[in-house]
Amino acid sequence: QITLKESGPTVVKPTQTLTLTCTFSGFSLSTSEVAVGWVRQPPGKALEWLALIYGDDDKRHSPSLKSRLTITKDTSKNQVVLTMTNMDPVDTATYYCVHRHGSDYSLYGFDYWGQGTLVSVSS
Amino acid sequence: SYVLTQPPSVSVAPGQTARITCGGNNIGSKSVHWYQQKPGQAPVLVVYNDSDRPSGIPERFSGSNSGNTATLTIRRVEAGDEADYYCQVWETSNDWVFGGGTKLTVL
C-alpha cells in the first residue's frame, strides 16, 4: 500500500526559502520506473505541477519555476525534499506530494497523492 | 507553453450523463489523464492514458481523446460525483500540464 505524507512549515516569510519533505512508504525510489514529485494548488485555483525526481536521479522541473526549485531524494530514508527559494505571497498554496510509475513521461498519471500541506507566505 | 482549456462548470441532473471537455492543440496525439478533486481532499486519478481506469474507479467513468479535444464522460451521475475535475498531459516543452479545472454540479 503506497502512502505519501508532506511535512514542512505552515508559514514562511517573503524572500525566505521553503523546504518541504515528502515521506513515503510502500515502494522504493530506486529505479527509472518510479518517480515522486510535487504539485501545488493556490486556494480556489487550479493544480500546478512543480517538479519530479526518478529513482535513477532524473529530475524534471516546471520551466516557469525552474530557477527557484530544487528537488532531491534520500532513498535510505524514503524521502523526497523540495526547496523553493525567494517565496512570495503568490506562492501561498497547498503543496501535494505525488507518485507516478513508468519511464515514459507521457503515460500514466500521478496515481497516488499525499494529503497536502498548506503553506502561507506572509510577513 | 501548452494550454489545456476546460469549461469552468458543468451541471447535470442525477442519473444523466456528464461530459467534461479538455481542449488543447492536437491533444489527440497525447495521453490525457483525469483527476477528481472533492472539497478539502487531494485529487484522485480517475482516468489515465485517455481511457484507462485505475483499480477501484467505477466503470461509469470513461474517457476519449481525438483531434483537439479530450472528453471525460460520467454516466449515471450520482450526487457523490460532484467535484472539480482536472485534465493533464505531458508535453515536451513544459512537462506535466494541468487544465484549469471544471466544477461538476449535480442538480
Side-chain angles (χ1 to χ4, degrees):
Chain A
Q1 165 199 6
I2 290 176
T3 64
L4 308 105
K5 187 170 185 179
E6 306 87 352
S7 59
T10 56
V11 181
V12 297
K13 296 185 187 316
T15 75
Q16 287 187 336
T17 294
L18 171 68
T19 299
L20 293 173
T21 300
C22 174
T23 303
F24 57 85
S25 64
F27 66 95
S28 176
L29 189 56
S30 58
T31 74
S32 61
E33 297 288 320
V34 179
V36 172
W38 294 89
V39 173
R40 72 177 179 179
Q41 184 175 39
K45 296 189 177 182
L47 302 169
E48 179 184 20
W49 171 73
L50 300 177
L52 202 78
I53 185 168
Y54 283 82
D56 62 356
D57 217 35
D58 177 23
K59 300 174 185 178
R60 316 292 298 183
H61 301 83
S62 167
S64 62
L65 294 167
K66 187 172 184 176
S67 64
R68 298 174 54 203
L69 296 174
T70 302
I71 189 168
T72 60
K73 64 180 176 71
D74 186 331
T75 305
S76 65
K77 293 183 178 179
N78 280 357
Q79 290 181 334
V80 169
V81 175
L82 180 76
T83 61
M84 181 180 293
T85 61
N86 194 24
M87 292 292 285
D88 183 271
V90 300
D91 296 313
T92 293
T94 295
Y95 288 75
Y96 294 100
C97 180
V98 297
H99 166 280
R100 77 174 301 272
H101 71 276
S103 56
D104 186 326
Y105 298 141
S106 66
L107 298 179
Y108 312 107
F110 298 158
D111 52 359
Y112 293 92
W113 295 61
Q115 63 188 22
T117 185
L118 177 61
V119 178
S120 298
V121 184
S122 173
S123 54
Chain B
S1 63
Y2 191 79
V3 177
L4 295 175
T5 301
Q6 298 183 237
S9 62
V10 168
S11 298
V12 64
Q16 299 303 302
T17 297
R19 294 179 178 84
I20 299 172
T21 59
C22 176
N25 184 33
N26 197 25
I27 196 173
S29 68
K30 305 181 186 302
S31 291
V32 180
H33 319 299
W34 291 92
Y35 300 86
Q36 175 194 68
Q37 185 180 32
K38 297 181 180 180
Q41 298 184 19
V44 172
L45 181 68
V46 293
V47 168
Y48 66 95
N49 298 356
D50 295 340
S51 58
D52 292 329
R53 280 187 313 279
S55 173
I57 300 302
E59 292 183 7
R60 301 185 297 105
F61 289 81
S62 63
S64 62
N65 184 20
S66 178
N68 293 317
T69 305
T71 303
L72 174 69
T73 300
I74 309 172
R75 292 182 168 76
R76 300 183 301 279
V77 167
E78 304 172 355
D81 298 331
E82 191 162 281
D84 293 327
Y85 291 84
Y86 294 90
C87 58
Q88 179 202 35
V89 301
W90 182 83
E91 193 270 335
T92 306
S93 300
N94 299 281
D95 283 308
W96 290 273
V97 179
F98 286 97
T102 297
K103 180 176 180 58
L104 176 66
T105 299
V106 181
L107 302 171

